[in-house]
Amino acid sequence: MPDNEHVGLTAGQVENFISDGFVKVEDAFSPDLAARARAELWHDMGLSPDRPEGWAQPVVRIGVKSSPPFVEAANTPRLRKAYDQLAGEGRWLAPMGVGTFPIRFPSPEAPGDVGWHVDVSFGTDNPDFMQWRANVMSKGRALLMLFLFSDVGPDDAPTIIRKGSHAVIARELLPYGEAGATLGQLSADGYASTSGCAEELATGAAGTVYLCHPFLVHSAQPHRGQQPRFMAQPPLLPRGELDPSSPASPVQLAIRQACAL
């Protein structure tokens, strides 16, 4: 881990988060932690990195992992400082695990889960996931996070991010108030309102983490590389409800600026 692991984010990175909806944190956790985590995931899948003939499916999903390598990876001093800087000091819960893992394998087959979306954050007790909801206060989610547990290049099915799309979604959520909008409502037009946003690939070395605004529009894509991609997409959970009397965090500032509040 670099000597500056305790520094967190620069002022410029925080400003970019507000405007772009994400920030890339390199060396957020160590290559050793990434390797230990991959070993567990290979075991869980019943597959081997040395036997590619067994990689029959384009994507294998693993749920939340709460063993030491994953908890340590999500709670490094560098990340905890960044959580404070983006979500607000004392306003988030320390991650007790990491997941889920859509582990993507090189394959000519379509993975079946490609498409633009936002990650909704409450109402998840409804059996119809298209009825799950998000609101303009981002109830139930402080950040969306992408943890790279393997090296991810442009051909390795990196998540596609639409820069600035969080501001568009904030404006769309505003009229729905506290009740929020369902995933079905948000997805009705295929996120056409964000089609003009520049796109960026979530690439990086193992140990890279993308800290994203909860409203960021993103998509999976097929794997056209050589080695499996190990990535987790956990939320950072908020500590309680939003306190209007507290100073606005960068997550809130992005919403306020987008909605001219």
Side-chain angles (χ1 to χ4, degrees):
M1 190 72 70
D3 292 338
N4 65 347
E5 65 172 338
H6 296 277
V7 170
L9 305 175
T10 66
Q13 286 178 306
V14 173
E15 287 300 317
N16 287 341
F17 173 87
I18 294 171
S19 61
D20 295 342
F22 68 96
V23 62
K24 179 180 182 179
V25 184
E26 297 178 298
D27 301 307
F29 59 95
S30 72
D32 176 66
L33 281 176
R36 289 163 56 196
R38 288 196 306 274
E40 283 199 29
L41 293 165
W42 280 115
H43 179 269
D44 290 350
M45 292 187 292
L47 299 174
S48 168
D50 303 317
R51 299 186 63 183
E53 64 272 15
W55 306 347
Q57 301 178 58
V59 59
V60 175
R61 292 187 177 273
I62 301 291
V64 175
K65 295 287 294 181
S66 56
S67 54
F70 299 95
V71 177
E72 290 175 36
N75 288 280
T76 62
R78 191 170 206 181
L79 283 175
R80 292 176 69 91
K81 178 63 175 177
Y83 301 157
D84 276 344
Q85 290 175 285
L86 298 180
E89 188 171 355
R91 301 187 207 174
W92 50 273
L93 297 174
M96 301 303 293
V98 174
T100 58
F101 290 83
I103 301 169
R104 301 192 182 276
F105 291 85
S107 176
E109 297 181 25
D113 60 355
V114 172
W116 296 109
H117 65 283
V118 295
D119 285 13
V120 286
S121 56
F122 67 98
T124 55
D125 54 341
N126 192 310
D128 179 2
F129 75 92
M130 294 302 289
Q131 296 300 311
W132 297 359
R133 313 181 79 87
N135 69 15
V136 75
M137 288 83 75
S138 191
K139 177 180 179 179
R141 188 184 301 270
L143 291 171
L144 165 69
M145 305 189 289
L146 308 177
F147 277 71
L148 307 191
F149 284 93
S150 63
D151 294 347
V152 179
D155 294 329
D156 302 324
T159 299
I160 312 172
I161 292 169
R162 282 186 169 171
K163 296 175 68 172
S165 57
H166 65 305
V168 179
I169 298 301
R171 289 191 289 271
E172 292 181 358
L173 284 170
L174 184 61
Y176 290 95
E178 187 174 352
T182 67
L183 181 58
Q185 289 169 320
L186 289 171
S187 305
D189 66 352
Y191 299 90
S193 58
T194 66
S195 62
C197 296
E199 295 178 5
E200 184 158 327
L201 302 179
T203 58
T208 298
V209 175
Y210 284 76
L211 300 177
C212 306
H213 196 281
F215 301 160
L216 193 69
V217 177
H218 56 287
S219 176
Q221 61 174 321
H223 196 313
R224 300 294 182 246
Q226 301 298 316
Q227 294 297 318
R229 186 213 68 176
F230 289 79
M231 187 271 284
Q233 47 191 32
L236 183 70
L237 298 177
R239 184 184 296 276
E241 296 294 327
L242 176 67
D243 181 2
S245 66
S246 299
S249 68
V251 170
Q252 295 166 273
L253 285 173
I255 296 169
R256 291 183 181 183
Q257 290 183 14
C259 298
L261 297 175

